[in-house]
Amino acid sequence: MPLFSTRPGRRPRLSRSLGDTQLDKVLGKLSKRGSGKAADAELIAELLTETGDDWDLRGHRVSVLAGAASGTGIAETWLERDPDDVDALVFHSWTTLVRALEERSLDDTDTLITRCHRAAELSPADPLPWVVLLGTARVVRFGHKDVDALWRQATARDPWNREAFAQMLALLSPEEGGSSASVLDFVDAVRTRIPANAPCAAVELTAAVRQYQGLLAQGGMRAMTAGQLFEGGHLAAALHQAAALWPKPGFFQHAAAPADLNVLAYALCAAGRAADAHPVFQALQGMVTSWPWDVDGPALQRFEQHLAKSERGRQGGIGGS
């Protein structure tokens, strides 16, 4: 699946599929009011069957579709029809997780755990049941030993699974009951081992952007000096390497690469390097994700503002601060 186009830049638009045309078609066909639940379930089932054991693409498609189908009854209809289908079990579990994270509560933890374990039995190589359980720990706060065991199960099946790293990063964050120190410890433990073009390569910058946004939210002097977070040390080196490598055509091959490029563009602008973000904006071809842009305003508006700043910086031959 080609990730980057050589065509002239397109008008910025929010994208759930992140350039996955097959996923985009399914999203476009899903019933708007949940009236065709059986047909919708069939559409999703066919797409996941086609996806096969490409775990990265599977994780991307399941997470996006689960977000779109949450609360529609599609997952329930599918699971009632095929109670021992691994895709139906994983999809239902993920939609349950989406709702639980939105509501910060889970009504029936035991049933979700049972379904994930059943999916793992049916497809032992699939990391997604373990990823869902990692996400479940964000709501019900499993003990450290249990979380570590889930992490080992997920990464044993797919060492650089983007969704697993994303769930762990969120789980350890101070916003969800963890701490900044826990996040830093996790990033320090994994960053030197992650290949530069791995699906989870953005974990360090993602953690940094969240920390930066936390400083902005505090206001005062912390907000005024937040951009200094990206100056010096491992983080500055990581940002420099990402700016040099990530926008190159073909460097990234994972399904959610545009989401990571959004993080990189935002981080460069936050660091006062808007001109250096210009190649990243070009590579994105207008493909915008809600986060991280939506923290202090509408995502599209903020994206366009920083895009314009990168253009001005490039034309002026300066860093574009």
Side-chain angles (χ1 to χ4, degrees):
M1 180 177 63
L3 294 175
F4 307 117
S5 170
T6 57
R7 293 178 298 172
R10 297 176 59 189
R11 183 176 180 82
R13 74 279 182 201
L14 289 171
S15 174
R16 289 185 294 179
S17 68
L18 301 179
D20 182 340
T21 54
Q22 290 176 281
L23 174 59
D24 214 26
K25 289 178 182 177
V26 171
L27 288 169
K29 291 178 180 178
L30 293 180
S31 301
K32 304 303 180 185
R33 298 178 177 83
S35 57
K37 290 181 287 189
D40 290 339
E42 188 60 35
L43 280 173
I44 295 171
E46 289 176 0
L47 181 64
L48 295 184
T49 297
E50 291 175 12
T51 308
D53 59 359
D54 182 334
W55 304 130
D56 173 70
L57 185 58
R58 177 173 166 80
H60 170 59
R61 288 176 169 177
V62 170
S63 64
V64 171
L65 287 165
S70 178
T72 65
I74 296 172
E76 290 76 11
T77 297
W78 187 7
L79 190 61
E80 288 173 6
R81 187 189 70 187
D82 300 310
D84 282 324
D85 182 278
V86 64
D87 288 340
L89 284 161
V90 167
F91 187 69
H92 189 282
S93 298
W94 207 303
T95 57
T96 301
L97 176 61
V98 168
R99 291 195 299 273
L101 289 171
E102 289 174 350
E103 299 169 2
R104 304 310 305 173
S105 65
L106 183 58
D107 293 334
D108 193 346
T109 305
D110 290 342
T111 297
L112 177 57
I113 292 173
T114 298
R115 285 177 177 150
C116 288
H117 281 292
R118 178 57 178 155
E121 291 173 3
L122 292 169
S123 181
D126 189 349
L128 290 195
W130 305 104
V131 172
V132 173
L133 288 172
L134 270 177
T136 303
R138 294 171 56 187
V139 181
V140 298
R141 305 306 299 182
F142 297 158
H144 291 301
K145 289 184 178 179
D146 291 331
V147 171
D148 288 344
L150 294 172
W151 171 253
R152 289 195 299 271
Q153 292 282 4
T155 54
R157 289 158 174 79
D158 188 10
W160 314 121
N161 186 279
R162 186 180 186 276
E163 289 292 342
F165 277 77
Q167 296 296 336
M168 185 62 93
L169 202 59
L171 172 67
L172 296 173
S173 71
E175 294 80 14
E176 297 195 12
S179 67
S180 297
S182 296
V183 172
L184 290 174
D185 287 345
F186 174 67
V187 171
D188 283 344
V190 300
R191 62 180 173 77
T192 58
R193 297 187 288 109
I194 298 173
N197 64 342
C200 60
V203 64
E204 185 172 10
L205 284 188
T206 298
V209 166
R210 288 178 176 170
Q211 184 181 357
Y212 168 81
Q213 292 178 336
L215 293 171
L216 291 184
Q218 293 179 42
M221 186 58 66
R222 287 186 178 272
M224 292 174 61
T225 60
Q228 295 176 7
L229 177 68
F230 299 97
E231 298 175 3
H234 295 303
L235 187 54
L239 187 60
H240 179 77
Q241 176 177 286
L245 296 178
W246 292 9
K248 291 183 176 180
F251 180 77
F252 272 152
Q253 293 295 320
H254 60 285
D260 295 336
L261 288 172
N262 271 266
V263 172
L264 174 57
Y266 181 96
L268 286 167
C269 292
R273 297 176 54 184
D276 295 332
H278 187 261
V280 187
F281 283 115
Q282 283 189 312
L284 281 167
Q285 292 289 304
M287 202 177 302
V288 184
T289 53
S290 292
W291 188 86
W293 307 103
D294 63 355
V295 171
D296 58 353
L300 278 176
Q301 182 182 72
R302 298 297 289 150
F303 181 93
E304 289 174 332
Q305 288 170 347
H306 285 291
L307 172 60
K309 186 181 291 186
S310 79
E311 288 279 3
R312 291 194 300 270
R314 180 182 66 91
Q315 292 167 4
I318 60 175
S321 59

